């Protein structure tokens, strides 16, 4: 943890220089000179018939196909791909689990063939994996034997033919690009198409600027920002890891190129649409408040998030992120951010993240423009949503403590003593007792001794009587789903 704190402190020292990133990275009203041979054209078809109105982009400019499905695009000299925003009602094609919606500029052929779904896609499911973060062959075995099979089992729990896709919220590997193949093998087990966003550990660090830092990621997964549609939902992926050009230093920041592209993208989306946006670094967390900090840690939140919020304001937006290895919900008006616990838990060194959230992932069920969700702990059933600690715990000795890791302020958490309902548990910010036992101290966990438990808001306590024999915790989420957990005292 000391190494991590030193790193974060060094990042924080850059705050004065980077507190107004727009001063460093000024808005570009015009881009590089247009190349003479920069006009590209193609067609988007379904069984040879053109599909009109499909957005096509080079990552800088967006055009739409005409009534015959054809498009022409004056590409930017810096563009690396021609890709489209898949319309609702069409299949997500994939290769070894990696969604296919793009063509490298070098391909020369920019025709796209789509296939109509055989069913309505207003109802579908998607999962969010955050931070697989595999660094060693042992980590690769873990993701292949734990996370991959868990996803296979989850898919089998839904009726045959259910439309399911996946999103990986970054830090696919831990700087070891040779292990991208193991990630691909893990997701291909379930035959679910996955869309990826880039994390800070997926960046090339041997380049001089952020513009070049996604080189290997793009070779494996395509563009680092893009959009697609399924049913009534518009999905967006963005790259918010900004490499500072030295060491391993980065900040959470969205470039003008992306914000300009996003404005174009959303101009094709009706106001009020439900938008699901995935990026790696959270736009915001509660860490500044929990730790009483004067400033945000600019390596762990998006420094220019207000500009993003302004663009998203006309939409019902869900921002899905990872990076932190803890689970948290932040709800403000029509914007709901969900920071996901990690697939790897505490970097494959223990069964829980350092806020006590089990290693796992988010599962989202979509009906029309409405989302519901739950957190799926790897190796556990869907009902595993609470962990209860007896009075001997180190977080609040003498009291019973519950960790309800997917909690947000709309949940209701009650408790029973010996079968008798006693009322609402008291929410508090503290450290998870299991995380304390597993991770607190300079020598544990053995694999990653710098891991330490952190403060979290999703803890609750109750004071049972001295003669109580058992306590049951009953948590009801915002969708009316009821979860319980019981402990004998």
């Amino acid at each position: 943890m000391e190494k991590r704190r030193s790193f974060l402190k060094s990042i924080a020292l850059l705050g004065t220089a980077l507190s107004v990133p727009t001063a460093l990275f000024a808005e570009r009203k015009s881009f590089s000179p247009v190349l003479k041979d920069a006009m590209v054209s193609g067609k988007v078809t379904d069984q040879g018939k053109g599909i009109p109105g499909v957005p096509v982009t080079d990552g800088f400019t967006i055009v739409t196909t005409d009534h015959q499905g054809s498009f022409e695009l004056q590409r930017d000299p810096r563009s690396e791909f021609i890709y489209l925003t898949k319309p609702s009602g069409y299949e997500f094609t994939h290769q070894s689990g990696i969604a296919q919606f793009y063509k490298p500029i070098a391909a020369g052929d920019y025709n796209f063939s789509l296939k109509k779904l055989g069913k309505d896609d207003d109802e579908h499911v998607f999962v969010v994996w955050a931070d697989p973060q595999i660094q060693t062959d042992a980590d690769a075995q873990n993701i292949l034997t734990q996370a991959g099979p868990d996803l296979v089992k989850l898919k089998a729990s839904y009726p045959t033919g259910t439309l399911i896709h996946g999103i990986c919220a970054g830090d696919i590997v831990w700087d070891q690009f040779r292990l991208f193949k193991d990630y691909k093998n893990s997701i291909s087990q379930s035959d679910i198409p996955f869309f990826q966003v880039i994390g800070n550990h997926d960046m090339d660090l041997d380049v001089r600027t952020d513009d070049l830092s996604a080189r290997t990621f793009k070779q494996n997964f395509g563009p680092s920002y893009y959009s697609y549609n399924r049913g009534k939902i518009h999905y967006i992926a963005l790259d918010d890891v900004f490499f500072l050009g030295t060491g391993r230093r980065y900040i959470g920041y969205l470039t003008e190129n992306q914000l300009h592209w996003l404005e174009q993208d959303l101009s094709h989306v009706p106001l009020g649409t439900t938008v699901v946006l995935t990026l790696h670094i959270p736009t915001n967390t509660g860490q500044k408040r929990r730790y009483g900090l004067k400033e945000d840690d600019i390596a762990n939140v998006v420094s220019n998030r207000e500009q993003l919020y302004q663009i998203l304001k006309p939409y019902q937006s869900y921002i899905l992120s990872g990076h932190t290895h803890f689970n948290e919900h932040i709800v403000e008006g029509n914007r709901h951010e969900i920071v996901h616990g990690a697939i790897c838990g505490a970097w494959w060194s223990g069964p829980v993240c350092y806020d006590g959230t089990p290693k796992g992932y988010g599962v989202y069920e979509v009906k029309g423009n409405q989302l519901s969700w739950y957190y799926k702990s790897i190796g556990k059933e869907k009902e595993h949503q609470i962990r209860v600690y007896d009075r001997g715990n180190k977080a609040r000795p003498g009291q019973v403590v519950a960790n309800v890791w997917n909690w947000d302020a709309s949940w209701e958490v009650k408790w029973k003593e010996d079968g008798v309902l006693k009322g609402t548990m008291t929410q508090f910010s503290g450290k998870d007792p299991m995380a304390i036992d597993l991770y607190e101290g300079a020598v544990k966990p053995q694999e990653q001794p710098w891991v330490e438990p952190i403060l979290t808001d999703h803890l609750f306590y109750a004071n049972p009587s001295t003669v109580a024999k058992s306590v049951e915790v009953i948590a009801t989420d915002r969708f009316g789903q009821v979860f319980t957990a019981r402990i004998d005292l």
Side-chain angles (χ1 to χ4, degrees):
M1 189 65 178
E2 189 58 40
K3 289 183 180 178
R4 179 177 176 84
R5 286 173 179 162
S6 298
F7 166 72
L8 295 179
K9 183 177 180 181
S10 67
I11 287 292
L13 291 175
L14 295 169
T16 303
L18 295 170
S19 60
V20 189
T22 51
L24 293 179
F25 314 110
E27 180 176 356
R28 298 174 182 175
K29 295 298 184 182
S30 60
F31 296 107
S32 302
V34 175
L35 299 177
K36 292 182 180 180
D37 60 348
M39 185 68 73
V40 298
S41 61
K43 196 168 185 178
V44 182
T45 60
D46 175 13
Q47 295 183 331
K49 184 178 180 180
I51 307 173
V54 178
V56 181
T57 184
D58 64 345
F60 297 90
T61 301
I62 300 176
V63 299
T64 56
T65 55
D66 63 18
H67 67 286
Q68 294 181 324
S70 299
F71 69 89
E72 283 192 338
L73 174 64
Q74 193 89 28
R75 75 171 181 86
D76 188 277
R78 294 163 294 168
S79 60
E80 299 172 73
F81 301 94
I82 300 297
Y83 51 106
L84 50 77
T85 296
K86 282 199 173 183
S88 297
Y90 289 88
E91 291 183 0
F92 292 156
T93 55
H94 66 93
Q95 293 181 3
S96 299
I98 307 305
Q100 301 295 301
F101 57 93
Y102 58 90
K103 296 197 174 187
I105 287 293
D109 173 12
Y110 309 120
N111 296 310
F112 294 87
S113 178
L114 305 184
K115 185 178 180 181
K116 196 79 173 174
L117 284 165
K119 61 185 296 184
D120 186 279
D121 59 356
D122 278 1
E123 291 192 16
H124 60 274
V125 175
F126 67 95
V127 302
V128 177
W129 279 20
D131 302 85
Q133 207 148 344
I134 47 181
Q135 184 185 38
T136 66
D137 290 332
D139 296 343
Q141 265 310 108
N142 286 332
I143 196 172
L144 286 165
T145 59
Q146 297 176 28
D150 195 90
L151 187 58
V152 171
K153 185 177 179 181
L154 176 85
K155 180 181 177 181
S157 71
Y158 287 96
T160 302
T162 298
L163 297 173
I164 306 178
H165 74 279
I167 304 169
C168 186
D171 277 4
I172 299 168
V173 296
W174 192 348
D175 304 328
Q176 301 297 317
F177 297 152
R178 68 181 181 85
L179 298 174
F180 277 146
K181 65 177 178 16
D182 295 285
Y183 163 75
K184 294 175 183 178
N185 288 338
S186 69
I187 62 173
S188 66
Q189 292 177 44
S190 61
D191 197 36
I192 292 174
F194 259 73
F195 296 83
Q196 284 67 223
V197 302
I198 188 171
N200 52 288
H201 286 291
D202 304 318
M203 295 191 300
D204 293 277
L205 302 177
D206 59 347
V207 296
R208 64 184 187 180
T209 67
D210 178 70
D211 298 289
L212 305 173
S213 64
R215 179 184 58 205
T216 303
F217 175 89
K218 290 175 180 178
Q219 290 170 356
N220 282 272
F221 307 112
S224 62
Y225 58 93
Y226 53 89
S227 66
Y228 58 95
N229 296 288
R230 173 146 279 185
K232 292 182 170 61
I233 310 299
H234 184 65
Y235 292 87
I236 301 166
L238 294 180
D239 170 3
D240 68 346
V241 288
F242 192 94
F243 177 51
L244 298 178
T246 181
R248 298 178 182 276
R249 293 181 176 178
Y250 60 89
I251 61 171
Y253 179 74
L254 292 166
T255 62
E256 172 59 26
N257 287 338
Q258 286 188 84
L259 294 177
H260 177 66
W261 174 89
L262 179 61
E263 289 172 325
Q264 294 179 74
D265 176 74
L266 288 174
S267 72
H268 301 287
V269 179
L271 301 180
T273 295
T274 297
V275 172
V276 173
L277 187 154
T278 308
L279 32 65
H280 179 61
I281 297 176
T283 66
N284 200 9
T285 73
Q287 289 296 80
K288 177 183 174 183
R289 168 181 50 79
R290 284 189 286 270
Y291 282 92
L293 304 175
K294 292 183 179 180
E295 300 290 340
D296 280 316
D297 177 356
I298 57 175
N300 285 321
V301 297
V302 174
S303 55
N304 60 339
R305 59 178 175 263
E306 293 299 333
Q307 286 85 341
L308 174 65
Y309 294 164
Q310 189 62 33
I311 295 172
L312 294 175
K313 192 173 182 179
Y315 304 91
Q316 172 61 57
S317 61
Y318 294 90
I319 301 176
L320 311 180
S321 56
H323 183 58
T324 63
H325 294 243
F326 59 71
N327 210 68
E328 182 170 23
H329 291 250
I330 297 178
V331 184
E332 296 180 351
N334 63 342
R335 185 180 69 252
H336 188 142
E337 178 152 7
I338 304 175
V339 184
H340 293 76
I343 284 286
C344 69
W347 294 267
W348 300 110
S349 64
V352 298
C353 303
Y354 54 12
D355 67 336
T357 300
K359 56 185 177 185
Y361 53 98
V363 181
Y364 296 79
E365 298 173 342
V366 181
K367 292 185 178 180
N369 61 0
Q370 300 297 312
L371 273 64
S372 61
W373 55 81
Y374 61 91
Y375 188 87
K376 177 65 176 68
S377 302
I378 292 175
K380 303 287 187 180
E381 298 301 320
K382 171 185 176 181
E383 291 72 26
H384 182 64
Q385 299 292 327
I386 308 166
R387 188 184 307 109
V388 186
Y389 301 96
D390 66 21
R391 287 176 288 207
N393 74 83
K394 295 177 182 177
R396 293 187 77 94
Q399 298 167 334
V400 169
V401 169
N403 190 335
V404 187
W405 42 82
N406 212 26
W407 171 84
D408 66 58
S410 67
W411 283 54
E412 186 176 63
V413 182
K414 295 185 176 183
W415 68 290
K416 291 180 180 180
E417 179 182 307
D418 295 335
V420 178
L421 186 64
K422 304 298 287 186
T424 301
M425 296 187 77
T426 303
Q427 182 268 331
F428 72 101
S429 296
K431 297 178 181 179
D432 173 75
M434 179 182 283
I436 292 173
D437 290 340
L438 290 174
Y439 307 139
E440 193 163 69
V443 297
K444 59 181 181 180
Q446 185 175 355
E447 299 87 348
Q448 314 290 357
W450 46 266
V451 172
E452 292 289 327
I454 63 164
L455 297 177
T456 180
D457 293 331
H458 46 70
L459 296 177
F460 300 81
Y461 72 86
N463 287 305
S465 68
T466 56
V467 296
K469 293 181 173 61
S470 69
V471 166
E472 182 181 16
V473 177
I474 307 101
T476 305
D477 72 7
R478 60 168 51 229
F479 311 111
Q481 299 178 99
V482 179
F483 306 102
T484 63
R486 183 179 179 276
I487 189 169
D488 293 323
L489 301 177

